[in-house]
Amino acid sequence: MSIVATLVVGSDGSTSKESRSAGVSSDADRQVFLQRRREVNCIIIGGNTARHEPYNRTPVPLIVISRSLVNPVQGNHLALLWNCSPVQAVEKARRQFGEKILIEGGISMINELIDHGVIDQLELSVTPASGGDERIDWKELLAKFAHSTSREVEGTTFFSAHN
């Protein structure tokens, strides 16, 4: 594992409800998500994700990519605020923290990193939730990778995709 992007969506492609991913997550997704975080050297998110999701505590350094000078996760002593592109952040994080980097940013960040060939693996959770916001075509996202496997746990389908 090197650069892994993770994303949860509802069955209709919703990436959030009320601006938070928790609304489309499931218990099974949450367990896998928390375990994955303990296996990496650092986590990268965007400023928008930092402002809407609870990132006050992370088990590893948290890199927030933002043009703002105001740290949206001030309670997290492991949070770093970097003003750079996602590709530059991955390169800098690799040098500073190591090879195992988890991307928890939104779909724009993930697509940019995929388009630049930076993402080694996509971990996509599709839950039974629906009726949320910011819908994406998750099948189209998976199609950007040559190989994918899936497994179902308690109604949530976990896809693991790579080239």
Side-chain angles (χ1 to χ4, degrees), residues 13-83:
S14 302
T15 59
S16 65
K17 271 190 181 176
E18 299 175 4
S19 299
R20 297 201 43 210
S21 63
V24 296
S25 187
S26 66
D27 289 342
D29 170 64
R30 192 90 186 125
Q31 287 178 342
V32 170
F33 172 80
L34 292 173
Q35 179 59 39
R36 191 177 295 125
R37 285 177 140 201
R38 290 189 284 271
E39 299 169 353
V40 298
N41 301 116
C42 68
I43 299 166
I44 298 177
I45 62 172
N48 197 42
T49 298
R51 285 184 287 279
H52 290 99
E53 300 284 350
Y55 277 94
N56 292 337
R57 288 187 341 189
T58 52
V60 295
L62 175 70
I63 298 154
V64 180
I65 302 171
S66 179
R67 289 185 288 274
S68 171
L69 297 176
V70 178
N71 185 348
V73 288
Q74 292 178 9
N76 186 335
H77 70 282
L78 296 175
L80 302 166
L81 197 58
W82 291 356
N83 181 358

Coordinates of all heavy atoms in Angstrom, one line a residue, residues 13-83:
G13 N -25.1 7.4 -5.0 CA -23.9 8.2 -5.3 C -23.7 9.4 -4.3 O -22.8 10.2 -4.5
S14 N -24.6 9.6 -3.4 CA -24.5 10.7 -2.4 C -23.2 10.6 -1.7 O -22.9 9.5 -1.1 CB -25.6 10.7 -1.4 OG -26.9 10.7 -2.0
T15 N -22.4 11.7 -1.6 CA -21.2 11.7 -0.8 C -21.3 12.3 0.5 O -20.4 12.2 1.3 CB -20.1 12.4 -1.6 OG1 -20.5 13.7 -1.9 CG2 -19.8 11.7 -2.9
S16 N -22.5 12.9 0.8 CA -22.7 13.6 2.1 C -24.2 13.8 2.3 O -25.0 13.7 1.4 CB -22.0 14.9 2.2 OG -22.5 15.8 1.2
K17 N -24.5 14.0 3.6 CA -25.9 14.5 4.0 C -25.6 15.6 5.0 O -24.8 15.4 5.9 CB -26.7 13.3 4.6 CG -27.5 12.5 3.7 CD -28.4 11.6 4.5 CE -29.2 10.7 3.5 NZ -30.1 9.8 4.2
E18 N -26.2 16.7 4.8 CA -26.0 17.9 5.6 C -24.5 18.2 5.7 O -24.0 18.5 6.8 CB -26.6 17.6 7.0 CG -28.1 17.5 6.9 CD -28.8 17.1 8.3 OE1 -28.1 17.1 9.3 OE2 -30.0 16.9 8.2
S19 N -23.8 18.1 4.6 CA -22.4 18.5 4.5 C -21.4 17.5 5.2 O -20.2 17.8 5.3 CB -22.1 19.9 4.9 OG -22.8 20.8 4.2
R20 N -21.9 16.3 5.6 CA -21.0 15.4 6.3 C -21.1 14.0 5.8 O -22.2 13.6 5.5 CB -21.3 15.4 7.8 CG -21.0 16.8 8.4 CD -20.8 16.8 9.9 NE -20.0 15.8 10.4 CZ -20.1 15.3 11.6 NH1 -21.1 15.8 12.4 NH2 -19.3 14.4 12.1
S21 N -20.0 13.3 5.7 CA -20.0 11.9 5.1 C -20.7 11.0 6.1 O -21.2 9.9 5.7 CB -18.6 11.5 4.8 OG -17.9 11.4 6.0
A22 N -20.8 11.3 7.4 CA -21.5 10.4 8.3 C -22.9 10.0 7.9 O -23.3 8.9 8.2 CB -21.5 11.0 9.7
G23 N -23.6 10.9 7.2 CA -24.9 10.7 6.8 C -25.1 9.6 5.8 O -26.1 9.0 5.6
V24 N -24.0 9.3 5.1 CA -24.0 8.2 4.1 C -23.1 7.0 4.5 O -23.0 6.0 3.8 CB -23.6 8.7 2.7 CG1 -24.6 9.7 2.1 CG2 -22.2 9.2 2.7
S25 N -22.5 7.1 5.6 CA -21.7 6.0 6.1 C -22.5 4.9 6.8 O -23.7 5.0 6.9 CB -20.7 6.5 7.1 OG -19.7 5.6 7.5
S26 N -21.9 3.8 7.2 CA -22.6 2.7 7.9 C -21.6 2.2 9.0 O -20.4 2.6 9.0 CB -22.9 1.6 6.9 OG -21.6 1.0 6.4
D27 N -22.1 1.4 9.9 CA -21.3 0.9 10.9 C -20.1 0.1 10.3 O -18.9 0.2 10.8 CB -22.1 0.0 11.9 CG -23.0 0.8 12.8 OD1 -22.8 2.0 12.9 OD2 -24.0 0.2 13.3
A28 N -20.4 -0.7 9.3 CA -19.3 -1.5 8.7 C -18.3 -0.6 8.1 O -17.1 -0.9 8.2 CB -19.9 -2.5 7.7
D29 N -18.7 0.4 7.4 CA -17.8 1.4 6.7 C -16.9 2.1 7.8 O -15.7 2.2 7.6 CB -18.6 2.4 5.9 CG -17.7 3.5 5.5 OD1 -16.8 3.3 4.7 OD2 -17.9 4.7 5.9
R30 N -17.6 2.5 8.8 CA -16.8 3.2 9.9 C -15.7 2.3 10.5 O -14.6 2.8 10.7 CB -17.8 3.6 11.0 CG -17.2 4.6 12.0 CD -17.5 6.0 11.5 NE -16.8 6.9 12.4 CZ -15.9 7.8 12.0 NH1 -15.7 8.0 10.7 NH2 -15.3 8.6 12.8
Q31 N -16.0 1.1 10.7 CA -15.0 0.2 11.3 C -13.8 0.0 10.4 O -12.6 0.1 10.8 CB -15.6 -1.2 11.6 CG -16.5 -1.2 12.8 CD -17.1 -2.6 13.0 OE1 -17.1 -3.5 12.1 NE2 -17.6 -2.8 14.2
V32 N -14.1 -0.2 9.1 CA -13.0 -0.3 8.1 C -12.2 1.0 8.0 O -11.0 1.0 7.9 CB -13.6 -0.8 6.7 CG1 -12.5 -0.7 5.6 CG2 -14.1 -2.2 6.8
F33 N -12.9 2.1 7.9 CA -12.3 3.4 7.8 C -11.4 3.7 9.0 O -10.2 4.1 8.8 CB -13.5 4.5 7.8 CG -13.1 5.9 7.9 CD1 -12.6 6.5 6.8 CD2 -13.1 6.6 9.1 CE1 -12.2 7.9 6.8 CE2 -12.8 7.9 9.2 CZ -12.3 8.6 8.0
L34 N -11.8 3.4 10.2 CA -10.9 3.7 11.4 C -9.7 2.8 11.4 O -8.6 3.2 11.7 CB -11.7 3.6 12.6 CG -12.8 4.6 12.9 CD1 -13.7 4.3 14.1 CD2 -12.2 6.0 13.0
Q35 N -9.9 1.5 11.0 CA -8.7 0.6 10.9 C -7.7 1.1 9.9 O -6.5 1.1 10.1 CB -9.2 -0.8 10.6 CG -8.1 -1.8 10.5 CD -7.3 -2.0 11.7 OE1 -7.8 -1.9 12.8 NE2 -6.0 -2.1 11.6
R36 N -8.2 1.5 8.7 CA -7.3 1.9 7.6 C -6.5 3.1 8.1 O -5.3 3.2 7.8 CB -8.2 2.3 6.4 CG -7.4 2.6 5.2 CD -8.3 2.9 4.0 NE -9.2 1.8 3.6 CZ -10.5 1.8 3.6 NH1 -11.1 3.0 3.8 NH2 -11.2 0.8 3.3
R37 N -7.0 4.0 8.9 CA -6.3 5.2 9.4 C -5.1 4.8 10.3 O -4.1 5.5 10.3 CB -7.2 6.1 10.2 CG -8.2 6.8 9.4 CD -9.1 7.6 10.3 NE -9.3 8.9 9.8 CZ -9.7 9.9 10.4 NH1 -9.9 9.8 11.7 NH2 -9.9 11.1 9.8
R38 N -5.2 3.7 10.9 CA -4.1 3.3 11.9 C -3.0 2.6 11.1 O -2.0 2.3 11.7 CB -4.7 2.3 12.9 CG -5.6 3.0 13.9 CD -6.0 2.1 15.1 NE -7.0 1.1 14.7 CZ -8.3 1.2 14.8 NH1 -8.8 2.4 15.2 NH2 -9.1 0.3 14.5
E39 N -3.1 2.4 9.8 CA -2.1 1.7 9.0 C -1.3 2.6 8.1 O -0.6 2.1 7.3 CB -2.8 0.6 8.2 CG -3.5 -0.5 9.1 CD -4.4 -1.4 8.3 OE1 -4.6 -1.2 7.1 OE2 -4.9 -2.3 8.9
V40 N -1.5 3.9 8.2 CA -0.8 4.8 7.3 C 0.2 5.8 8.1 O 0.1 5.9 9.3 CB -1.8 5.7 6.5 CG1 -2.7 4.7 5.6 CG2 -2.7 6.5 7.4
N41 N 1.0 6.4 7.3 CA 1.9 7.4 7.9 C 1.3 8.8 8.1 O 1.7 9.6 9.0 CB 3.2 7.5 7.1 CG 3.9 6.2 6.9 OD1 4.0 5.7 5.8 ND2 4.4 5.7 8.0
C42 N 0.4 9.1 7.2 CA -0.3 10.4 7.3 C -1.6 10.4 6.5 O -1.8 9.5 5.7 CB 0.6 11.6 6.9 SG 1.0 11.6 5.1
I43 N -2.5 11.4 6.8 CA -3.7 11.6 6.1 C -3.7 13.0 5.4 O -3.3 13.9 6.0 CB -4.9 11.5 7.1 CG1 -4.9 10.2 7.8 CG2 -6.2 11.8 6.4 CD1 -5.8 10.1 9.0
I44 N -4.2 13.0 4.2 CA -4.3 14.3 3.5 C -5.8 14.6 3.2 O -6.5 13.7 2.7 CB -3.6 14.3 2.1 CG1 -2.1 14.1 2.4 CG2 -3.8 15.6 1.4 CD1 -1.2 14.0 1.2
I45 N -6.2 15.8 3.5 CA -7.6 16.3 3.2 C -7.5 17.7 2.7 O -6.5 18.3 2.8 CB -8.5 16.2 4.5 CG1 -8.0 17.2 5.6 CG2 -8.7 14.8 5.0 CD1 -8.9 17.3 6.8
G46 N -8.7 18.1 2.1 CA -8.8 19.5 1.7 C -9.4 20.4 2.8 O -10.0 19.9 3.7
G47 N -9.3 21.7 2.6 CA -9.9 22.6 3.5 C -11.4 22.4 3.7 O -11.9 22.5 4.9
N48 N -12.1 22.2 2.7 CA -13.6 22.0 2.8 C -13.9 20.8 3.6 O -14.8 20.8 4.5 CB -14.2 21.9 1.4 CG -15.7 22.1 1.4 OD1 -16.1 23.0 2.1 ND2 -16.4 21.3 0.6
T49 N -13.2 19.7 3.4 CA -13.4 18.5 4.2 C -13.1 18.8 5.7 O -13.8 18.4 6.6 CB -12.5 17.3 3.7 OG1 -12.9 17.0 2.4 CG2 -12.6 16.1 4.6
A50 N -12.0 19.5 5.9 CA -11.6 19.9 7.3 C -12.7 20.7 8.0 O -12.9 20.6 9.2 CB -10.3 20.6 7.3
R51 N -13.3 21.6 7.2 CA -14.3 22.5 7.8 C -15.7 21.7 8.1 O -16.4 22.2 9.0 CB -14.6 23.7 6.9 CG -13.5 24.7 7.0 CD -13.8 25.9 6.1 NE -13.7 25.7 4.7 CZ -12.6 25.7 4.0 NH1 -11.4 25.9 4.6 NH2 -12.6 25.5 2.7
H52 N -15.9 20.6 7.4 CA -17.2 20.0 7.6 C -17.2 18.6 8.3 O -18.2 18.1 8.8 CB -17.9 19.7 6.2 CG -18.3 21.0 5.6 ND1 -17.6 21.7 4.7 CD2 -19.4 21.8 5.8 CE1 -18.2 22.8 4.3 NE2 -19.3 22.9 5.0
E53 N -16.0 18.0 8.4 CA -15.9 16.7 9.1 C -15.2 16.8 10.4 O -14.4 17.8 10.6 CB -15.1 15.8 8.1 CG -15.8 15.5 6.8 CD -17.0 14.6 6.8 OE1 -17.3 14.0 7.9 OE2 -17.7 14.6 5.8
P54 N -15.4 15.9 11.3 CA -14.7 16.0 12.6 C -13.3 15.4 12.5 O -13.0 14.2 12.5 CB -15.6 15.1 13.5 CG -16.2 14.1 12.6 CD -16.3 14.8 11.2
Y55 N -12.3 16.3 12.5 CA -10.9 15.9 12.4 C -10.1 16.4 13.6 O -8.9 16.7 13.5 CB -10.3 16.5 11.1 CG -10.5 15.6 9.9 CD1 -11.6 15.8 9.1 CD2 -9.7 14.5 9.7 CE1 -11.9 15.0 8.0 CE2 -10.0 13.6 8.6 CZ -11.0 13.9 7.8 OH -11.3 13.1 6.7
N56 N -10.8 16.6 14.7 CA -10.1 17.1 15.9 C -9.0 16.1 16.5 O -8.1 16.5 17.2 CB -11.1 17.4 17.0 CG -11.9 18.6 16.7 OD1 -11.5 19.4 15.8 ND2 -13.1 18.7 17.2
R57 N -9.2 14.8 16.1 CA -8.3 13.8 16.5 C -8.0 12.8 15.4 O -8.9 12.3 14.7 CB -8.8 12.9 17.7 CG -8.8 13.7 19.0 CD -9.2 12.8 20.1 NE -9.9 11.6 19.7 CZ -10.4 10.7 20.5 NH1 -10.4 10.9 21.8 NH2 -11.0 9.6 20.0
T58 N -6.7 12.6 15.1 CA -6.3 11.6 14.1 C -5.1 10.8 14.7 O -4.4 11.4 15.5 CB -5.9 12.3 12.8 OG1 -4.9 13.3 13.0 CG2 -7.1 12.9 12.1
P59 N -5.0 9.5 14.3 CA -3.9 8.7 14.9 C -2.5 9.0 14.3 O -1.5 8.6 14.8 CB -4.3 7.3 14.6 CG -5.2 7.4 13.3 CD -5.9 8.8 13.5
V60 N -2.5 9.8 13.2 CA -1.3 10.1 12.5 C -1.4 11.6 12.0 O -2.4 12.2 12.1 CB -1.1 9.2 11.2 CG1 -0.9 7.8 11.6 CG2 -2.3 9.3 10.3
P61 N -0.3 12.2 11.5 CA -0.3 13.6 11.1 C -1.4 13.8 10.0 O -1.6 12.9 9.2 CB 1.1 13.8 10.5 CG 2.0 12.9 11.3 CD 1.1 11.6 11.5
L62 N -2.1 14.9 10.1 CA -3.2 15.3 9.2 C -2.7 16.5 8.4 O -2.4 17.5 9.0 CB -4.4 15.6 10.0 CG -5.6 16.2 9.2 CD1 -6.2 15.1 8.4 CD2 -6.7 16.8 10.2
I63 N -2.7 16.4 7.1 CA -2.3 17.5 6.3 C -3.6 18.1 5.7 O -4.3 17.4 5.0 CB -1.3 17.0 5.2 CG1 -0.1 16.5 5.8 CG2 -1.0 18.2 4.2 CD1 0.7 15.5 5.0
V64 N -3.8 19.4 5.9 CA -4.9 20.1 5.4 C -4.4 21.0 4.3 O -3.6 21.9 4.5 CB -5.6 20.9 6.5 CG1 -6.9 21.6 5.9 CG2 -6.1 20.0 7.6
I65 N -4.9 20.7 3.0 CA -4.5 21.5 1.9 C -5.5 22.7 1.8 O -6.7 22.4 1.6 CB -4.5 20.8 0.6 CG1 -3.6 19.6 0.7 CG2 -4.2 21.7 -0.6 CD1 -3.7 18.6 -0.5
S66 N -5.0 23.9 2.0 CA -6.0 25.0 2.0 C -5.2 26.3 1.7 O -4.0 26.5 2.0 CB -6.6 25.2 3.4 OG -7.5 26.3 3.4
R67 N -5.9 27.2 1.0 CA -5.3 28.6 0.8 C -5.6 29.5 2.0 O -4.9 30.5 2.1 CB -6.0 29.2 -0.5 CG -5.5 28.5 -1.8 CD -6.0 29.2 -3.0 NE -7.5 28.9 -3.2 CZ -8.0 27.9 -3.8 NH1 -7.2 27.0 -4.3 NH2 -9.3 27.8 -4.0
S68 N -6.4 29.1 2.8 CA -6.7 29.9 4.0 C -5.6 29.8 5.0 O -5.0 28.7 5.2 CB -8.0 29.4 4.7 OG -8.2 30.1 5.9
L69 N -5.4 30.8 5.8 CA -4.4 30.8 6.8 C -5.0 30.4 8.2 O -4.2 30.2 9.2 CB -3.7 32.2 7.0 CG -2.9 32.6 5.7 CD1 -2.4 34.0 5.9 CD2 -1.8 31.7 5.4
V70 N -6.3 30.2 8.2 CA -6.9 29.8 9.4 C -7.1 28.2 9.5 O -7.6 27.6 8.6 CB -8.3 30.4 9.5 CG1 -9.1 29.9 10.8 CG2 -8.2 31.9 9.5
N71 N -6.5 27.6 10.5 CA -6.5 26.2 10.6 C -7.9 25.7 11.1 O -8.3 26.1 12.2 CB -5.5 25.7 11.6 CG -5.4 24.2 11.7 OD1 -6.2 23.5 11.2 ND2 -4.3 23.8 12.4
P72 N -8.6 25.0 10.2 CA -10.0 24.6 10.6 C -10.0 23.4 11.6 O -11.1 23.1 12.1 CB -10.6 24.1 9.2 CG -9.4 23.7 8.4 CD -8.3 24.6 8.9
V73 N -8.9 22.8 11.9 CA -8.8 21.7 12.9 C -7.8 22.1 14.0 O -6.9 21.4 14.3 CB -8.5 20.4 12.3 CG1 -9.6 19.9 11.4 CG2 -7.2 20.5 11.4
Q74 N -8.1 23.2 14.7 CA -7.1 23.8 15.7 C -6.9 22.8 16.9 O -5.9 22.9 17.5 CB -7.6 25.1 16.1 CG -7.5 26.2 15.0 CD -8.0 27.5 15.4 OE1 -8.3 27.8 16.6 NE2 -8.1 28.4 14.5
G75 N -7.9 22.0 17.2 CA -7.8 21.1 18.3 C -6.9 19.9 18.0 O -6.5 19.2 19.0
N76 N -6.5 19.7 16.8 CA -5.7 18.5 16.4 C -4.2 19.0 16.4 O -3.8 19.7 15.5 CB -6.1 18.0 15.1 CG -5.4 16.7 14.7 OD1 -4.3 16.4 15.2 ND2 -6.0 15.9 13.9
H77 N -3.4 18.5 17.4 CA -2.0 18.9 17.5 C -1.2 18.3 16.4 O 0.0 18.6 16.2 CB -1.5 18.6 18.9 CG -1.3 17.2 19.2 ND1 -2.4 16.4 19.5 CD2 -0.2 16.4 19.2 CE1 -2.0 15.2 19.7 NE2 -0.7 15.1 19.5
L78 N -1.8 17.3 15.6 CA -1.0 16.6 14.5 C -1.4 17.3 13.2 O -0.9 16.8 12.2 CB -1.4 15.1 14.5 CG -0.9 14.3 15.7 CD1 -1.5 12.9 15.6 CD2 0.6 14.3 15.9
A79 N -2.2 18.3 13.2 CA -2.7 18.9 11.9 C -1.6 19.9 11.4 O -1.1 20.7 12.2 CB -4.0 19.6 12.1
L80 N -1.4 19.9 10.1 CA -0.5 20.8 9.4 C -1.3 21.4 8.3 O -2.1 20.8 7.6 CB 0.7 20.0 8.8 CG 1.5 19.3 9.8 CD1 2.5 18.3 9.1 CD2 2.3 20.2 10.6
L81 N -1.1 22.7 8.1 CA -1.8 23.5 7.0 C -0.8 23.7 5.9 O 0.2 24.4 6.1 CB -2.4 24.8 7.6 CG -3.4 25.5 6.9 CD1 -4.7 24.6 6.7 CD2 -3.8 26.8 7.7
W82 N -1.1 23.2 4.7 CA -0.2 23.4 3.6 C -1.0 24.1 2.5 O -2.0 23.6 2.1 CB 0.3 22.0 3.1 CG 1.3 21.4 4.0 CD1 1.8 21.8 5.2 CD2 1.9 20.1 3.8 NE1 2.6 20.9 5.7 CE2 2.7 19.8 4.9 CE3 1.8 19.1 2.8 CZ2 3.4 18.6 5.0 CZ3 2.5 17.9 2.9 CH2 3.3 17.7 4.0
N83 N -0.4 25.1 1.9 CA -0.9 25.8 0.7 C -0.2 25.3 -0.5 O 0.8 25.8 -0.9 CB -0.8 27.3 0.9 CG -1.4 28.1 -0.2 OD1 -1.9 27.5 -1.2 ND2 -1.3 29.4 -0.1

